[in-house]
Amino acid sequence: MNEINVSMLAPLLPEVIMASAGILVLLVELVARRKETAGLLSIAAVAVAAYYVPHSFGKSFGGMFVSDGYSAFFKFIFFINLILTVLLSMRYLVIEKSNHGEYYSLVVFSTLGMMLMASAGDLIVLYLGLELMALSSYVLAGFIRHDARSSEAAVKYFLLGAFSSALLLYGITLVYGLTGTTDVSLIGAAVVEKGLSTPLFLSVVFLMAAFGFKTALAPFHMWAPDVYEGAPTSVTAFMSVGPKAAAFAAFGRVFLTGFGSLSTDWTGILVVLSILTMAVGNILAIQQDNIKRMLAYSSVAHAGYAVLGIIVGGAEGLAAMMNYLFIYGFMNLGAFAVVIMLRSEGVRGEALEDYKGLAKTHPFAAAVMLVFMFSLTGIPPTAGFIGKFYLFKAVVGAGYAWLAVVTVIFSAISAYFYLRVVMYMYMLEPEGEAVTLSLSPSLGLALLITTLVVILIGVYPSPLLSFARLAAG
Amino acid sequence: MVEWFFGYLAGAVILLAILVVASRNPVHSVLWMLLMFLHVAGLYLLLNAEFLAATQVIVYAGAILVLFLFVVMLLNLREEIKIRRFTGGWLFKGLTALGIIYVLRRGLEGFRVGFEGPWSIEAVGRATHTRALGQVLFTEYILPFEIASLLLLVAIVGAVFLSKKRLR
């Protein structure tokens, strides 16, 4: 293990490409007159990195870095997240008068952090990847510097993020003290050998709390609504999909590989957290009159659904969770794309009131939003239904039929606030001045992609399902 | 003898940490923290980790505390001293803290003393701590080391962006 050579980098090729791209984007930003060039460059880099992901399977650096089907699937979620976010941001940053090229570089670095988290075979790499992801998103949350709300969101996100990092580190040190290693699979072996002890359980709880913060599980969700509301909308879209999926990736790997033999001890806590998360997310979303805040609570609720996959465990549960997060990425980014479209000079377009009568003034925008709201609720012809269906199937298959019933009940509650948006758009008359849409080619492309994928997966889900099944197994 | 040193250092670190939080004047807090960092460096020395002790003094006691002092100078101290240090709810907080201390105390029994592996205490002693750390850091842990360098780059970009770019 003392020999270092270039061939060790082979499994890291996508990561190396992304790291170089992040630095290149920073340099291009200095000379490019149009900042969009930096955005296009980051999309090109993602395309190259994505091409190399299937060719990069293997372990490297003594098992610290693991590139397998599981990490590859998550990396595709992160790539899609990055591409769509960049497409959403190009025009939006101009409207917000904060069009700086550093934005794209930070998005690339944040994505790199997520990729490292998904591939981390060692808790140290996991922690550093998480910090790389989080540090970039703190800056992104405060990207509109002349807006006090954005700065407030950044500070809140930073303080609570730092707190959750401390919890994570504390859990890692305890695990290291008890097992003598930070390698996830060796931890798994040591845990099997030694069994459960009070301090080991404590460290499991610490790690669960830390991942709970990053995935916004209740009661660790407090930061989410404030940060999601205050941050630039494009960044909110980015944060609600990528970092959440990355935290789930690490959550799944650490808990099922490292603490898999203790699953009977921690699933109980996770079931409680999951139900609490669904309750808090869905019930508090009902009383929101700001659409970003509503989507924030909705994102909390969706974390409650996705965590069911970890509770179920095994290839079946992981596949259902990955499948769900993939679909969630498209429908959530699509919904945020519509929110961004309603934002134009002088009009914020975030209040639920702004959606009144949208079907009369802008039928196209209303129809697209309808698709995403149906999908988030989980109504059949859309992808959201497929995601929930396979999740419930896995939950029932694992013998938690009552948990599936609870989830369906909360899912029904969620219909109230998602469909209220639809009701506002289609059944109410427009009030006051009609909102103007700021549609740009890139935003249009993002909307086209998300709408098509949400409908396509809803109608023809088998390729995605078999892909997720293959990746998890 | 070593136990006495450890007892002094550990006790002092805890006492100083409490003083950092409890002091009304932020300048006092920062100075208590400086003393605490020096004691932590002493703990590292007890573990034969002279490189970590030196880094602790140079980075924490030297660089980071100077930054803290700069920030404190920017505060309005007269106002700051009047603000109450603590919020209520002592019973709940105290019970939580005692609970965590109890579980950690129990946990100590499960900790492993010394690890099997290439770097036993004797091996580290033979190679000297600084050399051992350098060798491990740049071979076995080269990947985390490189990620940390990217992390610092992002921190620099973020700090420069948030503080220097002109507002339009």
Side-chain angles (χ1 to χ4, degrees):
Chain A
M1 183 51 236
N2 284 331
E3 288 296 313
I4 297 277
N5 51 51
V6 183
S7 67
M8 289 171 77
L9 281 176
L12 274 98
L13 197 55
E15 279 77 10
V16 172
I17 293 169
M18 289 299 273
S20 325
I23 296 167
L24 193 65
V25 168
L26 263 185
L27 293 176
V28 167
E29 189 269 338
L30 284 177
V31 288
R33 196 169 299 131
R34 287 174 54 84
K35 301 301 175 198
E36 286 77 4
T37 323
L40 292 176
L41 188 67
S42 58
I43 291 183
V46 163
V48 179
Y51 173 76
Y52 281 108
V53 165
H55 303 286
S56 71
F57 281 16
K59 288 187 178 188
S60 189
F61 292 98
M64 278 191 180
F65 186 90
V66 185
S67 175
D68 52 9
Y70 180 72
S71 68
F73 189 92
F74 276 102
K75 280 174 199 173
F76 280 111
I77 297 183
F78 307 147
F79 291 151
I80 290 159
N81 183 36
L82 185 144
I83 293 173
L84 290 174
T85 304
V86 168
L87 290 177
L88 298 186
S89 308
M90 287 179 173
R91 178 99 178 83
Y92 176 74
L93 290 179
V94 177
I95 292 173
E96 292 285 4
K97 299 187 183 61
S98 192
N99 193 16
H100 305 294
E102 286 90 346
Y103 180 92
Y104 302 106
S105 166
L106 288 169
V107 167
V108 170
F109 279 125
S110 187
T111 305
L112 174 64
M114 297 173 207
M115 292 162 68
L116 288 167
M117 279 174 80
S119 276
D122 189 287
L123 293 179
I124 295 179
V125 176
L126 166 65
Y127 169 72
L128 286 168
L130 184 135
E131 282 297 302
L132 185 58
M133 166 193 93
L135 205 63
S136 317
S137 19
Y138 303 147
V139 181
L140 285 173
F143 206 81
I144 309 178
R145 290 186 41 226
H146 48 81
D147 183 4
R149 296 191 317 157
S150 173
S151 305
E152 188 193 326
V155 171
K156 274 185 186 161
Y157 194 26
F158 174 66
L159 286 177
L160 287 169
F163 184 63
S164 74
S165 291
L167 286 179
L168 181 69
L169 278 180
Y170 209 83
I172 291 176
T173 52
L174 280 177
V175 172
Y176 182 66
L178 293 167
T179 62
T181 176
T182 50
D183 186 295
V184 177
S185 45
L186 292 180
I187 289 172
V191 168
V192 170
E193 187 191 315
K194 299 187 76 177
L196 184 73
S197 59
T198 320
L200 186 62
F201 192 66
L202 186 73
S203 58
V204 169
V205 170
F206 271 123
L207 290 177
M208 201 183 272
F211 289 131
F213 260 109
K214 290 290 170 207
T215 52
L217 290 179
F220 312 111
H221 68 286
M222 305 291 185
W223 57 274
D226 288 350
V227 173
Y228 282 21
E229 185 187 355
T233 313
S234 57
V235 176
T236 309
F238 180 75
M239 288 194 307
S240 67
V241 175
K244 198 182 276 270
F248 269 116
F251 202 160
R253 202 190 283 277
V254 170
F255 272 68
L256 294 178
T257 313
F259 304 130
S261 56
L262 305 176
S263 61
T264 42
D265 298 294
W266 52 255
T267 39
I269 312 180
L270 222 47
V271 167
V272 174
L273 286 189
S274 161
I275 294 175
L276 193 66
T277 307
M278 289 187 271
V280 166
N282 284 320
I283 292 171
L284 290 183
I286 290 175
Q287 34 178 304
Q288 306 307 324
D289 50 12
N290 178 303
I291 190 127
K292 274 168 83 178
R293 236 182 140 72
M294 188 202 92
L295 285 172
Y297 278 108
S298 124
S299 137
V300 170
H302 283 280
Y305 304 137
V307 85
L308 293 172
I310 297 178
I311 294 173
V312 171
E316 193 68 39
L318 284 181
M321 177 183 85
M322 287 148 78
N323 184 28
Y324 193 82
L325 288 169
F326 188 89
I327 291 169
Y328 171 74
F330 278 102
M331 59 195 187
N332 210 43
L333 282 165
F336 274 111
V338 178
V339 177
I340 286 177
M341 195 159 63
L342 258 66
R343 170 84 169 100
S344 51
E345 314 279 350
V347 184
R348 202 161 246 158
E350 284 173 18
L352 225 45
E353 302 285 307
D354 295 328
Y355 287 78
K356 274 186 182 168
L358 197 67
K360 298 242 166 49
T361 49
H362 303 287
F364 165 72
V368 172
M369 192 63 162
L370 175 90
V371 172
F372 296 129
M373 287 298 128
F374 273 20
S375 183
L376 283 166
T377 322
I379 292 175
T382 56
F385 169 73
I386 300 296
K388 274 193 181 146
F389 180 77
Y390 281 92
L391 205 55
F392 293 163
K393 207 178 124 201
V395 171
V396 173
Y400 289 103
W402 63 274
L403 190 57
V405 173
V406 173
T407 315
V408 171
I409 292 173
F410 281 120
S411 200
I413 295 177
S414 76
Y416 176 79
F417 58 84
Y418 289 131
L419 297 187
R420 184 173 55 183
V421 178
V422 176
M423 192 269 287
Y424 269 51
M425 291 189 303
Y426 281 88
M427 295 177 192
L428 294 183
E429 290 301 313
E431 267 177 19
E433 264 181 78
V435 284
T436 43
L437 293 188
S438 49
L439 187 64
S440 62
S442 63
L443 187 67
L445 182 63
L447 274 175
L448 188 72
I449 295 171
T450 46
T451 320
L452 277 183
V453 172
V454 164
I455 294 174
L456 203 68
I457 294 180
V459 182
Y460 183 54
S462 50
L464 175 66
L465 294 175
S466 50
F467 180 30
R469 200 75 185 74
L470 194 72
Chain B
M1 192 58 189
V2 177
E3 284 84 3
W4 284 100
F5 268 115
F6 175 78
Y8 162 69
L9 290 170
V13 165
I14 293 174
L15 184 75
L16 289 167
I18 293 173
L19 283 171
V20 171
V21 186
S23 298
R24 270 180 175 269
N25 190 328
V27 177
H28 294 173
S29 287
V30 172
L31 293 176
W32 288 127
M33 188 133 77
L34 173 67
L35 260 184
M36 191 193 75
F37 283 155
L38 292 175
H39 281 82
V40 172
L43 280 177
Y44 288 143
L45 273 185
L46 272 189
L47 293 169
N48 290 330
E50 67 271 6
F51 181 78
L52 280 188
T55 319
Q56 170 81 9
V57 171
I58 296 169
V59 175
Y60 279 91
I64 292 181
L65 267 185
V66 172
L67 276 181
F68 268 136
L69 271 179
F70 272 131
V71 174
V72 169
M73 298 297 174
L74 296 175
L75 299 174
N76 185 351
L77 277 186
R78 276 178 222 289
E79 287 297 312
E80 202 68 29
I81 291 171
K82 288 184 199 140
I83 298 172
R84 282 183 53 206
R85 287 287 126 208
F86 297 102
T87 52
W90 284 103
L91 186 69
F92 176 70
K93 287 178 190 167
L95 284 179
T96 312
L98 283 180
I100 292 177
I101 289 172
Y102 169 75
V103 177
L104 287 180
R105 179 66 199 78
R106 286 282 308 278
L108 281 181
E109 291 145 22
F111 276 31
R112 286 159 74 157
V113 183
F115 300 125
E116 315 85 46
W119 293 107
S120 60
I121 294 172
E122 295 77 43
V124 174
R126 242 180 290 123
T128 73
H129 175 74
T130 310
R131 179 197 293 259
L133 192 73
Q135 271 183 9
V136 174
L137 190 61
F138 291 105
T139 54
E140 205 176 324
Y141 287 91
I142 185 77
L143 177 66
F145 181 80
E146 293 298 336
I147 303 172
S149 69
L150 278 177
L151 193 59
L152 289 177
L153 175 69
V154 168
I156 296 170
V157 171
V160 171
F161 174 78
L162 288 180
S163 58
K164 274 206 79 178
K165 213 138 201 182
R166 235 182 296 123
L167 286 175
R168 267 186 282 174

